Amino acid sequence: MMNEFYKADPEGELYYYFLLTNCLNIGIKTYEAFMNCFGSPKNMFLAAREEREKCGLFTKSQLKAIENVISYGDRLSEYKRMQKNGIGFMCIEDLLFPDKLKRIMDCPLGLYYIGRIPFQNVGSIGLIGARECSFYGEEMAREIGSCLGDYNLQVISGMARGVDAIGQTACIDAGGLSFAVLGGGVDICYPRESRRLYERLANCGGIISEYPPGTQPQGLYFVRRNRIISGLSDVVCVVEARKKSGTLITVDCALEQGKDVVAVPGKVTDITSRGCNELIVQGARILCDVDEFADECARTYGSLMGRAGKSDQKTKEEYCFADSLSKGEKDLIFNLNENSFNLTDKLSFANGDYAGLLTDCLSLCDKKLMENMGAGRFRLTSLGLSFREQIQSLEFAKKN
């Protein structure tokens, strides 16, 4: 089932958003301006060149970028090849596009991903730090990542060597989900030494970028991606950082976006701890107890299992993904929202089979995806709502 945006435009508006993201110098402000004029990226690209020039909304470099995209080879084949290679794409108008990103000032116009996009109603912790971290930094990144995974929270980072890669790996090892935001195309593993992590992220979270596949990593792109790391996060946790480092750019983005920043204290004499210690002096929260921090995040922002607290590995493996659900259970979850419902109101989903519908509901209750409120009423749990997002995302990918 397609969402309303794509029902309204069955001819493939998403493809023109794909073209738009290939114009790397067009951002959200220009997008909003030309949408008021042309109504859609499709209309903008199909308009005559003179119309784009006369509207006065684009700079010369932006007009050149648009023309380059239009004149470059067969973009449609490139778009279809991307989909065939398992790379997903969603635009800013997609109902499944992360709400957290929509709230930042310079929201990306689209996201490419391998795996999936983070669950929206599950706590997401940005875990960042020094590439050349100390032994203490390694240990703290490992402990924090593992604890966050154990509490069913999502870890957002950049897959860089050092704190990023260590923390993300530890989260996955603990049975959690982690997501890497790249400074290049999602089909390019950078750094190469993170290949194993890159492959694991595709199955235990996702790899995300605002840049089209094939885009080679560049310094500027890494700076730009930092706002997405912080934008997808509820809290940003800094493990180690030099006084002047790229890590602090992400911190600046987080502060501009109104996100909480937590810093791990270090020795005054350690150069890799000076950034964190200075953040604490400036008012960042100090991380004193890892378990307490993870528990607070789970209670405040929600966890994958629908409750705060640890879960055993068997439970996580059984309930992390929707593949274990029957077709009837998937169809039912897909068509529900956060409100409770009466079985008689949902008989159409079961073709009038009351007993079958009741069986599906009770089965979902056993799987912690639904709760029985009594008197024939049920509702999805937080985990059930997260599953609904995943199922909708998978169904949408099949349709497009």
Side-chain angles (χ1 to χ4, degrees):
M1 180 181 294
M2 293 185 182
N3 65 40
E4 294 302 320
F5 173 71
Y6 296 104
K7 279 183 180 178
D9 192 356
E11 296 184 31
E13 184 70 42
L14 188 61
Y15 169 64
Y16 291 93
Y17 276 93
F18 163 75
L19 295 184
L20 186 61
T21 59
N22 278 266
C23 303
L24 300 181
N25 58 355
I26 292 182
I28 186 68
K29 291 183 179 179
T30 303
Y31 167 75
E32 291 173 345
F34 83 67
M35 285 290 282
N36 288 330
C37 179
F38 292 95
S40 72
K42 182 177 182 179
N43 292 340
M44 186 273 289
F45 276 107
L46 295 180
R49 180 175 182 173
E50 293 73 18
E51 288 184 57
R52 289 190 291 271
E53 292 175 346
K54 290 179 179 179
C55 72
L57 300 174
F58 302 103
T59 65
K60 289 183 179 180
S61 63
Q62 288 173 334
L63 288 169
K64 183 178 180 181
I66 293 170
E67 296 306 320
N68 287 341
V69 166
I70 293 174
S71 62
Y72 172 81
D74 188 354
R75 289 285 183 182
L76 184 57
S77 295
E78 189 176 285
Y79 178 66
K80 290 180 178 179
R81 183 166 58 252
M82 174 192 77
Q83 295 176 315
K84 186 177 180 180
N85 290 336
I87 299 174
F89 175 67
M90 63 170 57
C91 72
I92 190 173
E93 303 294 345
D94 194 320
L95 293 178
L96 300 178
F97 192 89
D99 289 334
K100 294 171 187 175
L101 280 187
K102 288 182 179 180
R103 291 194 287 266
I104 70 174
M105 290 183 62
D106 47 357
C107 176
L109 301 181
L111 291 176
Y112 297 88
Y113 59 95
I114 295 175
R116 62 158 289 118
I117 297 295
F119 289 113
Q120 302 222 46
N121 60 338
V122 175
S124 298
I125 314 303
L127 184 56
I128 59 175
R131 288 177 171 81
E132 304 299 333
C133 57
S134 66
F135 177 75
Y136 167 70
E138 291 180 12
E139 289 298 300
M140 289 305 301
R142 190 171 291 110
E143 183 178 350
I144 295 170
S146 179
C147 196
L148 293 174
D150 201 29
Y151 272 84
N152 310 302
L153 293 158
Q154 302 173 124
V155 168
I156 315 293
S157 197
M159 208 178 74
R161 69 176 182 273
V163 168
D164 291 25
I166 293 169
Q168 290 189 276
T169 299
C171 175
I172 294 173
D173 287 343
L177 299 179
S178 187
F179 301 83
V181 184
L182 305 186
V186 294
D187 55 336
I188 299 175
C189 177
Y190 184 89
R192 293 181 180 178
E193 62 201 71
S194 293
R195 168 58 65 176
R196 175 57 181 153
L197 173 58
Y198 176 89
E199 293 171 350
R200 295 185 72 189
L201 286 166
N203 297 310
C204 303
I207 303 151
I208 302 167
S209 177
E210 65 180 312
Y211 301 107
T215 303
Q216 292 297 321
Q218 294 184 28
L220 176 61
Y221 298 164
F222 285 105
V223 174
R224 293 281 296 163
R225 68 90 185 262
N226 291 336
R227 82 193 194 284
I228 299 180
I229 292 177
S230 59
L232 288 171
S233 304
D234 295 299
V235 179
V236 172
C237 178
V238 189
V239 175
E240 275 190 332
R242 294 172 182 265
K243 195 168 183 178
K244 293 182 179 181
S245 68
T247 299
L248 298 184
I249 295 176
T250 307
V251 172
D252 290 339
C253 291
L255 294 174
E256 290 175 0
Q257 295 164 1
K259 305 296 177 71
D260 286 335
V261 175
V262 177
V264 175
K267 293 181 180 179
V268 174
T269 55
D270 287 352
I271 190 171
T272 52
S273 290
R274 291 180 182 175
C276 285
N277 290 342
E278 188 168 299
L279 285 174
I280 292 170
V281 171
Q282 293 172 354
R285 290 175 56 196
I286 182 171
L287 194 154
C288 297
D289 186 300
V290 175
D291 193 77
E292 187 177 289
F293 168 66
D295 182 65
E296 180 188 347
C297 288
R299 293 181 185 281
T300 304
Y301 303 108
S303 65
L304 187 62
M305 302 309 295
R307 61 180 175 83
K310 302 179 182 180
S311 300
D312 59 79
Q313 185 64 29
K314 182 178 183 298
T315 301
K316 289 180 182 179
E317 290 174 351
E318 187 173 359
Y319 297 135
C320 259
F321 297 99
D323 296 339
S324 62
L325 303 183
S326 69
K327 184 179 184 304
E329 291 170 341
K330 288 182 181 179
D331 290 344
L332 180 59
I333 290 179
F334 185 87
N335 289 284
L336 295 177
N337 55 33
E338 64 276 6
N339 299 321
S340 65
F341 63 92
N342 189 295
L343 288 180
T344 56
D345 297 332
K346 302 297 180 183
L347 281 177
S348 59
F349 297 138
N351 296 318
D353 182 3
Y354 186 94
L357 179 60
L358 177 60
T359 298
D360 285 340
C361 288
L362 293 176
S363 174
L364 291 170
C365 287
D366 289 339
K367 295 176 180 177
K368 314 298 185 188
L369 301 177
M370 192 176 284
E371 60 180 327
N372 188 345
M373 302 180 68
R377 297 195 72 82
F378 296 83
R379 70 179 177 188
L380 293 177
T381 62
S382 296
L383 181 59
L385 290 169
S386 295
F387 266 63
R388 184 192 63 182
E389 287 183 21
Q390 183 181 359
I391 294 169
Q392 289 176 335
S393 180
L394 291 172
E395 290 298 314
F396 176 75
K398 291 178 184 178
K399 294 290 185 179
N400 292 274

